[in-house]
Amino acid sequence: MEQGMGRSYYLNENGKEITQWFFGVGKFMTSADSFFQQTPSLYNLEVLENSIVYCIPKEDLDLLFAKYHKMEKLGRLVTTEMLTKMVNKLNALQFQTAKERYDYMLAEFPDISHQVPLGHIASYLGMTQETLSRIRKGDARK
């Protein structure tokens, strides 16, 4: 993503959208399991604002990996970064307070509250909009 912000989300059993991840500038916006396995995904991708996004078919990426060692290394580094961030998010949801998760998200996406509806942010953090509002009001008082 060269410019803009996107997200991946799924629909829960009640049909409510739950944001799984945000993609900002310089990040790869993909449903990795679907892309690499070439299978349908449970996740939807959505661009949240005017954006510049580039795409590459898996076959072309595989050719670049096969032909250029530096591209293969880049792919490994990007994959490692994505896996690490996903594990960090899972750990945050399991072991951190709502406030700690909010602070972690702001460190990862400093301008997110100006780019993304609060409902998306709340679902990403695994909390209600009311809880998110209370946390944000507490931050505003400081």
Side-chain angles (χ1 to χ4, degrees):
M1 179 163 291
E2 181 178 320
Q3 177 183 318
M5 178 68 75
R7 73 174 179 137
S8 65
Y9 70 94
Y10 65 94
L11 300 175
N12 71 9
E13 62 278 355
N14 299 323
K16 181 180 177 188
E17 294 180 2
I18 306 296
T19 299
Q20 178 214 25
W21 201 256
F22 292 110
F23 303 93
V25 172
K27 300 301 177 190
F28 289 88
M29 182 173 165
T30 186
S31 179
D33 59 334
S34 176
F35 181 78
F36 289 110
Q37 301 302 315
Q38 294 293 281
T39 57
S41 179
L42 299 172
Y43 299 95
N44 300 288
L45 298 175
E46 177 182 33
V47 176
L48 298 171
E49 60 184 12
N50 289 336
S51 300
I52 298 174
V53 180
Y54 299 99
C55 65
I56 185 169
K58 182 180 182 304
E59 298 79 22
D60 292 349
L61 185 62
D62 288 341
L63 288 173
L64 288 172
F65 287 164
K67 188 172 182 177
Y68 301 103
H69 175 69
K70 287 185 178 185
M71 283 299 297
E72 187 177 37
K73 182 179 179 181
L74 174 65
R76 181 175 44 80
L77 293 173
V78 167
T79 302
T80 301
E81 178 188 10
M82 287 174 57
L83 178 60
T84 300
K85 289 182 184 284
M86 292 300 291
V87 168
N88 288 343
K89 183 186 178 208
L90 181 60
N91 289 340
L93 288 171
Q94 290 180 323
F95 303 113
Q96 293 181 342
T97 66
K99 173 72 168 102
E100 289 170 333
R101 291 194 308 268
Y102 178 72
D103 291 341
Y104 173 80
M105 180 205 62
L106 287 180
E108 187 73 25
F109 308 105
D111 298 323
I112 198 164
S113 62
H114 305 292
Q115 296 175 287
V116 175
L118 294 181
H120 295 338
I121 292 172
S123 71
Y124 170 77
L125 294 172
M127 63 181 71
T128 65
Q129 280 191 250
E130 293 79 15
T131 299
L132 177 59
S133 292
R134 282 193 298 276
I135 292 169
R136 293 181 71 210
K137 285 179 186 172
D139 276 1
R141 290 185 200 135
K142 292 180 182 177

